[in-house]
Every structure is written in C-alpha cells, then in structure tokens.
Amino acid sequence: MLGGVEAALGLPKGSLTKPFYTRVQLWGAALPTNTPGTPCIFDPHGRAGICGDWLLGSSLESAAISGMTLANHIADYFQSGGARPEEFAIGLNNEFQPLEGHDIGQFPGLESENEINEAQAYQLAS
Ligand SMILES: Cc1cc2nc3c(=O)[nH]c(=O)nc-3n(C[C@H](O)[C@H](O)[C@H](O)COP(=O)(O)OP(=O)(O)OC[C@H]3O[C@@H](n4cnc5c(N)ncnc54)[C@H](O)[C@@H]3O)c2cc1C
C-alpha cells in the first residue's frame, strides 16, 4: 500500500516511513446483496442520479468508480444538450440481481477463496 501511495504521489520507492504496527481487518457486515447491474443510476426526466458502493460491490473502489461513472454520465448528458433524455436513462428498469462476490466483501487483492480463508484465520488469531 505504501508503494502504491509513493507511486501515486510521485515519491521515490521506499521513501515513506514504514509503520511500526499494522493490522488487517476485513469488514464483513453491511454488505450489498443485489444490484441493478449498472455502475450508477440516472433519471434525466427526474433529474436524479444515484451512485454508491452497493452498485458494484462493497469497497471504496466500488464507491469511487460508481461516483465517477455517474459524474461522467451527467456531463455527457449536459453536453448532449439534453434533447434525448431517454438515451441517457440508466438503471431505471433493471431487475435487481444478486451481487457476485464473496460474502466477506469484495476488497481488491483478495480474489481467491484460499486468500480469504487465510485472512479470516489471521483476523481470528489476532
Ligand atoms: C467499518 C467499515 C470498514 C470498512 N473498511 C473498508 C476498507 O478497508 N476498504 C474498503 O475499500 N472499504 C471499506 N469499507 C467500505 C467503504 O467504507 C464503503 O464502501 C464506502 O464508504 C461507500 O461509500 P459510499 O459513498 O457509496 O457510501 P457512504 O460512505 O455510506 O456515504 C453515504 C452518505 O450518504 C449520507 N446519507 C445517507 N442517507 C442520507 C439522506 N437521506 N440524506 C442525506 N445524506 C444521507 C450518509 O450520511 C453518508 O455520508 C468499510 C466500511 C465499514 C463500515
């Protein structure tokens, strides 16, 4: 994670001070269970948009992608002049489907069942 922050900030590799204590905690509650299958919802007639982690998963990454998608979608709608609102309606009539993913969450980097079990074991042991 420090390496990622260094890269994002353009800092030299290994320049950030390493923490003296770290702990991994997976959040296993309040997980979204179903989604309309779209990264955001937009109703041009009602002038309302919805974004949030639950549309894509249950992580900050999902929340960020959903928010950026809605922002881009609204920008595209306004740039179109708003003459064809029906073309920009998204997620309004979709049937909700179960959200695919692991019941412990969808944190990036924990793709396989083994890795999740290891993380759970660590959580219980610590
Ligand atoms: C304990 C915990 C640990 C987590 N750890 C991680 C982690 O390590 N990594 C990770 O990627 N994700 C983690 N998550 C998940 C992450 O926090 C969420 O995925 C993310 O915050 C969702 O962002 P959001 O903007 O979709 O929703 P939220 O952050 O829930 O934002 C919704 C906002 O809407 C406001 N609101 C609600 N109703 C109304 C209303 N009627 N009127 C006005 N405002 C309203 C709320 O007050 C809130 O500010 C964790 C979550 C929890 C609870």
Side-chain angles (χ1 to χ4, degrees):
M1 193 170 83
L2 285 175
V5 174
E6 286 164 352
L9 297 178
L11 298 172
K13 209 168 178 218
S15 60
L16 287 177
T17 311
K18 292 216 169 13
F20 62 87
Y21 175 77
T22 62
R23 178 166 179 234
V24 176
Q25 171 88 38
L26 283 174
W27 178 245
L31 297 175
T33 53
N34 51 46
T35 170
T38 54
C40 64
I41 297 173
F42 184 56
D43 178 1
H45 291 294
R47 299 174 68 82
I50 300 173
C51 59
D53 64 344
W54 61 278
L55 286 150
L56 291 169
S58 55
S59 65
L60 287 170
E61 182 183 36
S62 304
I65 291 173
S66 177
M68 289 187 288
T69 305
L70 178 62
N72 286 331
H73 197 72
I74 292 172
D76 288 345
Y77 174 58
F78 281 123
Q79 271 183 358
S80 77
R84 305 177 316 277
E86 61 288 343
E87 280 180 27
F88 287 87
I90 179 168
L92 295 176
N93 301 309
N94 300 37
E95 219 169 277
F96 275 55
Q97 302 292 334
L99 193 56
E100 285 182 20
H102 305 294
D103 55 2
I104 196 166
Q106 299 190 323
F107 298 97
L110 285 175
E111 303 302 342
S112 80
E113 206 63 42
N114 281 346
E115 284 172 309
I116 286 171
N117 289 338
E118 280 171 27
Q120 279 175 321
Y122 175 82
Q123 193 176 359
L124 292 173
S126 60

